[in-house]
Amino acid sequence: MLEAVKVSENVYWVGVNDRKLELFENLWPLPYGVAYNSYIIDDEKVTLIDTVEEGQLNQYMKEIKEIIGDNRGIDYLIVNHMEPDHSGLIEALVKEFPNIKLVGNKKTIEMMESFFGITNNTYEVKEGDVIDLGKHRLKFYTTPMVHWPESMVAYEETEKMLFSSDAFGSFGTLDGGIFDDEVELDFFEGEMRRYYSNIVGKYGGAVQRAFTKLKDLDIKRICPSHGPIWRSYPEKVLELYDKWSKYEGEEGVVIVYGTMYGNTAKIAESIGRAITQKGIKNVKIYDASKTHSSFIISDIWKYKGLIIGSSTYDATLFPPVESLISKLQNKGIKNKIVGIFGTYGWSGGSLKKLKEFVNSIDCQLAYKPLDIKHSPNESAINECIKLAEDLVNRLRK
Ligand code: FEO
């Protein structure tokens, strides 16, 4: 049975795990589930920070009552973010605690009215406003587009805790471990990057603006709305977010291809081998028909090099590749070194679309676009090796 967990003397995690949901935002697979985190500050003014997804009412209310008992109420609900995975139980809380004050910025309050018709007992905070809870003080910073326009974070000044909403959150349930020093960090780094790149990735500029705003805060703990609480290694997640929001990739290459009969796959394998022979160990090859794009996008965010190959289908791109590059364009992918190759049987088409893709993003082209008919012959493989070598040289510059 999940219970409330002490984060510090008077601050508790009252989150829930969701292992049933298949797709986050009805888009992104959740093979390892997801946790929705909420927090209680048990002070003179009892304060709840964000709620959880609406299907989790019973478990959530039980955890809250574990802390406050049956005879106390909640004074404030801080609404850092209105996406339904966090705002889903606002109406239920208002029903249970009719005097609760709903704290948000101007945009949050507008959204509460348009989502739920709530107009009573709202309390508007502006940038830098502070609410005194007794021993604790919450200071508010707006963080627009991290990841909705109304998003904000709350910094608790006494214990130096940042309630960071979606920022620094990850997919994956909290399977017993709630804190960063109780969990497998490599797993959560991967699921945090998958969350970041797919959910927040388009808004790297907004993340950088939020960093500028928060850079002078002394942060001892980061309490996000998903994934573990960062109490031992908060600097690690700050560093990762800084890097990802600047689109800075590590040395490594993602090769992704779309193939019907395996000829385009053969080319990808040859390029992968050639890159490895030049000494690059981080090479990931994906079949776009097989691996969900959220995992491919996550690795594209991780590494500096990217190679995309597509067979021609109906005189254009193979559909799973078309879908992937459309997502990458939409997310504003940049600062990568990109190689492209198209394949075809009778008339071409895929390479033209790949060239348009490369021209539409702010990335460097490696070697030159390659167009290969049917199965790759020796001369085509030699060209692939040149592409691999040029990409590695650029990676190392
Ligand atoms: Fe976890 Fe933007 O919601």
Side-chain angles (χ1 to χ4, degrees), residues 21 26 72 130 204 275 280 285 317 324 379:
L21 191 69
N26 214 13
R72 295 164 71 204
V130 172
I275 290 172
I280 304 287
I285 303 183
L317 288 166
L324 175 71
S379 122

Side-chain angles (χ1 to χ4, degrees), residues 2-280:
L2 209 54
E3 292 176 349
V5 174
K6 228 174 210 207
V7 177
S8 70
E9 193 48 35
N10 295 104
V11 179
Y12 298 85
W13 172 88
V14 283
V16 293
N17 282 316
D18 189 343
R19 295 187 182 86
K20 286 186 181 159
L21 191 69
E22 294 280 350
L23 296 173
F24 192 78
E25 296 181 339
N26 214 13
L27 276 175
W28 313 109
L30 290 174
Y32 317 109
V34 67
Y36 312 112
N37 298 338
S38 170
Y39 302 90
I40 287 186
I41 304 178
D42 188 7
D43 206 323
E44 283 165 35
K45 297 286 184 192
V46 178
T47 300
L48 193 55
I49 297 180
D50 287 313
T51 77
V52 298
E53 191 268 335
E54 72 170 331
Q56 311 285 338
L57 178 64
N58 289 348
Q59 173 64 30
Y60 183 55
M61 218 43 102
K62 220 170 118 314
E63 287 175 41
I64 291 174
K65 294 286 171 105
E66 255 179 62
I67 310 299
I68 64 169
D70 289 327
N71 300 319
R72 295 164 71 204
I74 294 178
D75 296 288
Y76 295 117
L77 169 65
I78 310 300
V79 184
N80 276 335
H81 184 20
M82 278 294 291
E83 192 165 10
D85 50 334
H86 311 295
S87 67
L89 290 179
I90 292 180
E91 285 176 293
L93 282 168
V94 169
K95 210 166 155 197
E96 182 76 18
F97 306 105
N99 297 322
I100 195 168
K101 269 202 170 52
L102 305 172
V103 179
N105 56 57
K106 189 167 180 286
K107 288 188 180 126
T108 326
I109 288 169
E110 285 166 8
M111 284 189 187
M112 274 195 278
E113 180 172 5
S114 51
F115 271 106
F116 306 124
I118 292 175
T119 52
N120 288 335
N121 266 351
T122 58
Y123 183 95
E124 185 181 326
V125 287
K126 296 189 177 62
E127 186 76 35
D129 280 359
V130 172
I131 294 185
D132 203 326
L133 311 180
K135 289 193 187 97
H136 297 84
R137 286 162 55 85
L138 287 175
K139 187 166 184 173
F140 299 94
Y141 297 88
T142 58
T143 52
M145 301 322 294
V146 188
H147 110 265
W148 274 18
E150 88 303 353
S151 293
M152 65 179 194
V153 298
Y155 177 67
E156 199 290 302
E157 294 183 328
T158 311
E159 300 199 59
K160 306 186 190 317
M161 301 165 96
L162 182 70
F163 295 96
S164 64
S165 188
D166 274 347
F168 316 114
S170 70
F171 292 131
T173 49
L174 296 170
D175 298 343
I178 304 288
F179 299 95
D180 54 357
D181 46 60
E182 298 177 335
V183 299
E184 180 53 60
L185 281 186
D186 286 347
F187 166 78
F188 277 105
E189 180 179 329
E191 284 294 278
M192 189 195 296
R193 194 181 57 251
R194 194 164 70 89
Y195 188 94
Y196 176 83
S197 55
N198 290 283
I199 312 287
V200 189
K202 183 178 173 70
Y203 308 109
V207 173
Q208 281 298 313
R209 285 189 286 282
F211 263 116
T212 305
K213 213 178 260 191
L214 304 175
K215 73 177 182 336
D216 295 326
L217 295 180
D218 181 11
I219 298 171
K220 299 275 188 246
R221 290 187 183 88
I222 296 176
C223 302
S225 295
H226 303 286
I229 296 168
W230 298 86
R231 67 178 176 189
S232 292
Y233 315 107
E235 66 291 342
K236 178 180 170 73
V237 281
L238 289 165
E239 216 174 273
L240 288 172
Y241 249 62
D242 188 37
K243 186 169 74 174
W244 295 336
S245 58
K246 289 178 184 156
Y247 305 83
E248 282 175 3
E250 300 168 21
E251 185 181 274
V253 185
V254 172
I255 304 172
V256 55
Y257 63 84
T259 192
M260 274 172 283
Y261 309 115
N263 291 312
T264 313
K266 274 188 214 162
I267 298 167
E269 302 282 2
S270 304
I271 296 174
R273 182 70 191 140
I275 290 172
T276 305
Q277 285 185 312
K278 293 286 283 179
I280 304 287

Side-chain angles (χ1 to χ4, degrees), residues 190 193-194 197-198 249-250 252-255 282-286 291-306 328 333 336:
R193 194 181 57 251
R194 194 164 70 89
S197 55
N198 290 283
E250 300 168 21
V253 185
V254 172
I255 304 172
N282 292 317
V283 178
K284 303 279 182 193
I285 303 183
Y286 290 111
T291 304
H292 189 274
S293 62
S294 67
F295 294 92
I296 304 174
I297 289 170
S298 176
D299 269 348
I300 290 174
W301 233 270
K302 182 172 185 181
Y303 297 117
K304 180 93 180 150
L306 170 63
L328 291 173
I333 191 77
K336 304 288 170 192

